[in-house]
Amino acid sequence: MANISRVAVVTGAASGIGAATAVRLAADGNAVAVLDLPDTGYAETVEAIESAGGRAIGLAVDVTDRDGLAAAMAQVADELGTVSILVNNAGYSHDLPIQDMTFQQWDDMTSVHLDAAFCTSRAVQPGMAAQGFGRIVNISSTSALGTAGRVGYSAAKSGVIGFTKALALELGPIGVTANVVAPGFIVSRMTAKTARRLGRDFDEHQEIAANGIPVGRVGRPEDIANAVSFFAGDAAGYVSGQVLFVAGGPRG
C-alpha cells in the first residue's frame, strides 16, 4: 500500500463500479470516503480498504438529498481533509419506454445523475482551488449516445458529459481537471436487472452481450476503476474535458 497522499470521495461506492473504484483509489495511496445509501453494504467497501492497509470512512447518504449530501461532503473534509479527488458514480436506471415513464421517474433520474454531481462538485471546488489541485471524474455511460427504452437514463448520462466539459473549461485555470468515464456493458446489479427484465439468465445475458463486443468479453468493475485511477492521478494533468468510453471497442 502506497503512502496516503490525497483525499478521494466516491459516491455509490457500496458495490460494483463504485466499490472497485474506491478500492483502487485507496491502493493508489489515497484516503477514501465511501458514500452510499444506508443498508447498501458500503461498510464492506470500507473494510476491504482497511484490511489492505488503507484509510477509509463510510457515510450513509442519499445523493438526492441536497442538504444531506452537502453535510456529508463537509464531514469528509473534517475527518479526512481537503478533498482532492471526486468521483460521481452514484446512479441507477429505469428501463422503460417513454410512454410508461412518469414525470417523477424522469425527475429522479436527473436528480441522481446531475443534481448530485452539481452538489458535490460545488462543495469541493473551494478546497481544490485553495490547494491548486483537483480531479473530478464523472461516470457516464455508452447510453449517453442513446439507448431505446432508456430515455431518462440516456438524457441524464448525456447531461453528465456536457456538465463535465463545462467544468473542465471553468476549473482548468485553478488546477482542476474534469473528465468522464463512460462504461459499456459492465457486470453489475444494473445489467443483472436488465437481464431479468428480458427474461434471461444473467450468464446467458453476458454471453449475448460479449458477442457484440470487439474484445470478446463483457467488462468488469475493475476495468472502470482502472480508467478512473488514470484520470485521478498526476499523470493526467494535461487531460481534461475528455470522455473515455470503456466499452471493449470504439464508441462515441
Side-chain angles (χ1 to χ4, degrees), residues 101-161:
M101 175 170 278
T102 66
F103 279 105
Q104 185 60 59
Q105 289 170 326
W106 173 271
D107 289 343
D108 289 345
M109 204 64 62
T110 302
S111 181
V112 169
H113 296 100
L114 287 173
D115 293 359
F118 168 78
C119 183
T120 54
S121 300
R122 186 173 183 271
V124 301
Q125 188 272 344
M128 290 181 175
Q131 64 186 5
F133 178 93
R135 299 283 188 264
I136 297 174
V137 185
N138 295 322
I139 306 301
S140 180
S141 168
T142 54
S143 287
L145 302 175
T147 299
R150 284 187 169 185
V151 291
Y153 186 72
S154 294
K157 287 303 192 182
S158 179
V160 166
I161 292 174

Side-chain angles (χ1 to χ4, degrees), residues 49-226:
I49 291 171
E50 292 180 336
S51 66
R55 183 184 180 197
I57 61 171
L59 297 176
V61 62
D62 182 343
V63 296
T64 67
D65 175 1
R66 296 176 184 178
D67 292 339
L69 184 55
M73 297 299 293
Q75 184 176 345
V76 171
D78 288 341
E79 294 191 25
L80 296 180
T82 300
V83 175
S84 298
I85 300 165
L86 170 64
V87 182
N88 284 303
N89 166 74
Y92 80 113
S93 174
H94 287 303
D95 292 350
L96 294 169
I98 190 169
Q99 288 299 323
D100 294 338
M101 175 170 278
T102 66
F103 279 105
Q104 185 60 59
Q105 289 170 326
W106 173 271
D107 289 343
D108 289 345
M109 204 64 62
T110 302
S111 181
V112 169
H113 296 100
L114 287 173
D115 293 359
F118 168 78
C119 183
T120 54
S121 300
R122 186 173 183 271
V124 301
Q125 188 272 344
M128 290 181 175
Q131 64 186 5
F133 178 93
R135 299 283 188 264
I136 297 174
V137 185
N138 295 322
I139 306 301
S140 180
S141 168
T142 54
S143 287
L145 302 175
T147 299
R150 284 187 169 185
V151 291
Y153 186 72
S154 294
K157 287 303 192 182
S158 179
V160 166
I161 292 174
F163 172 72
T164 306
K165 286 181 175 290
L167 276 184
L169 292 169
E170 180 178 335
L171 303 185
I174 60 173
V176 178
T177 65
N179 290 286
V180 172
V181 176
F185 189 107
I186 303 295
V187 175
S188 65
R189 292 176 180 174
M190 187 179 295
T191 48
K193 176 182 175 183
T194 299
R196 290 193 298 271
R197 178 177 63 83
L198 296 173
R200 294 174 180 165
D201 174 80
F202 193 32
D203 287 338
E204 175 194 12
H205 187 56
Q206 293 179 57
E207 290 177 7
I208 292 171
N211 288 334
I213 299 173
V215 300
R217 70 170 177 89
V218 296
R220 300 285 173 179
E222 291 74 18
D223 292 312
I224 308 306
N226 292 337

